[in-house]
Amino acid sequence: MCPNCRAFITNKDKVCPYCNERVSPRAVERRDPGQILGGLVPHAAFITVMILVINLGLYIATTIFSMRSGNEQAFMGIDGRTLFEFGAKHRDAILLGQWWRLVTAGFLHGGILHFAINSWVLFDLGAQAEENYGSSRMIVIYFIATLLGFMASAWWSPSLSVGASAGIFGLLGAMIALGMKHPTGAAAAARAQYVRWAVYMLLFGLLPGLRVDNAAHIGGLVGGFATAWIAGTPYLARPAIEGFWRIAAGACTAIAALSFVSMYLWLSAR
C-alpha cells in the first residue's frame, strides 16, 4: 500500500499512481535477509516460519510422548491425555488457575492431518499478513487472536481443544480489516476473498462428524480483526507508534514463553 494515501498498488511501483508520491520500500524489503540464518529462512515471512517451527517441534514432542504412553498410532493422532499434559485448552483446568492453556493450546495439534492443513494455511496467510502488517503487529495480532479464540472456546465448551486455527482466523480477520480500511477496488476484491475464506471455513466446521472448534475460530476472527483495525499498518514517519508495537510484540512473546515454561513446570511436577 502507498504509505501516503494508503491505496493498494503493485510492489513494482516507485511512485503511487493515485497521489503521485514516492513510495518507500515495504517493511519486508527493509530487513536484512543475511541476518536470518544466512537467508535460509524467508525473511518476508520470518515470524510465520518461526511459528511453524514451534508447532512442528511440539507435534514431534507430543507424538513421542504419546507413543511412550502406549499409543501406537500417535503419528496419525495424538491421544487426549497427551494433549492435556502439553497444555490443551480445558475449561476446568483453566478455572483452576492454569491460564497458560489459553496460549499453549494454539501451538498443539491433534493429528498429522490437523497439523498439515493448519501449517499449509498458516504459511500462505501468515506471509501475506506479515508482509502488510510487519513483524511486530503480526505477533500481536496472532497472539491476541489465539488468546481470545480459546477464551471463547472455554466459555462455549468444557472439552479439550487445540490448534493454530484460532490464530489463523485472527490473520483472516486482520486481512479483512485491511481491505475495509482502504476503499479501493483492489482492497474490495481482497476483502471479498478473505470474507469468503472465513465463511467457507466456518461452514466446514458445521459438517456432521467433524470435531471443529468454531467458537475458537469466531473468537480468533473477532480478536484478529479488532487488533488489526486498531494497529493499522506500519508508519515510517511515526517512530513512537512503531516503538509501541515493538514493545507490545515483546510483551506477547514474553507471555507466550512464560506460558510454555508454566506448562513444562506443571508437566515436570506430575
Side-chain angles (χ1 to χ4, degrees), residues 28-249:
V28 294
E29 293 172 345
R30 296 192 301 273
R31 303 180 196 173
D32 180 6
Q35 296 178 355
I36 307 177
L37 301 181
L40 293 177
V41 176
H43 65 289
F46 177 68
I47 301 302
T48 301
V49 172
M50 290 300 99
I51 295 172
L52 289 168
V53 169
I54 294 171
N55 290 351
L56 175 61
L58 283 170
Y59 190 73
I60 293 173
T62 51
T63 298
I64 295 173
F65 190 94
S66 185
M67 284 181 174
R68 290 179 175 175
S69 300
N71 180 12
E72 297 180 355
Q73 303 298 321
F75 181 75
M76 298 302 298
I78 311 297
D79 64 280
R81 179 173 178 79
T82 295
L83 293 175
F84 178 81
E85 299 282 3
F86 274 78
K89 179 233 91 182
H90 188 271
R91 181 196 289 171
D92 292 342
I94 293 170
L95 293 177
L96 288 174
Q98 296 176 13
W99 58 269
W100 38 268
R101 292 181 179 274
L102 297 171
V103 178
T104 53
F107 297 87
L108 301 172
H109 291 86
I112 188 61
L113 185 61
H114 187 205
F115 171 76
I117 292 175
N118 276 352
S119 298
W120 170 44
V121 177
L122 177 58
F123 184 79
D124 186 29
L125 185 59
Q128 296 175 44
E130 190 171 350
E131 179 178 345
N132 284 281
Y133 285 99
S135 299
S136 297
R137 287 170 173 80
M138 162 77 171
I139 292 172
V140 177
I141 291 168
Y142 193 86
F143 177 84
I144 292 180
T146 298
L147 184 66
L148 293 184
F150 284 104
M151 287 178 66
S153 175
W155 174 80
W156 181 259
S157 169
S159 60
L160 287 175
S161 180
V162 295
S165 52
I168 290 172
F169 266 84
L171 299 180
L172 265 178
M175 297 306 293
I176 293 171
L178 186 70
M180 291 182 66
K181 293 189 75 172
H182 307 289
T184 64
R191 180 181 68 246
Q193 174 190 347
Y194 292 117
V195 168
R196 286 196 300 270
W197 279 24
V199 171
Y200 293 156
M201 292 169 72
L202 289 173
L203 290 176
F204 178 76
L206 296 177
L207 293 177
L210 296 178
R211 299 177 60 185
V212 177
D213 192 347
N214 262 349
H217 294 172
I218 295 172
L221 183 69
V222 172
F225 178 90
T227 305
W229 188 272
I230 295 170
T233 50
Y235 292 91
L236 300 181
R238 300 181 184 179
I241 294 178
E242 298 312 304
F244 167 81
W245 288 107
R246 284 192 292 271
I247 292 172

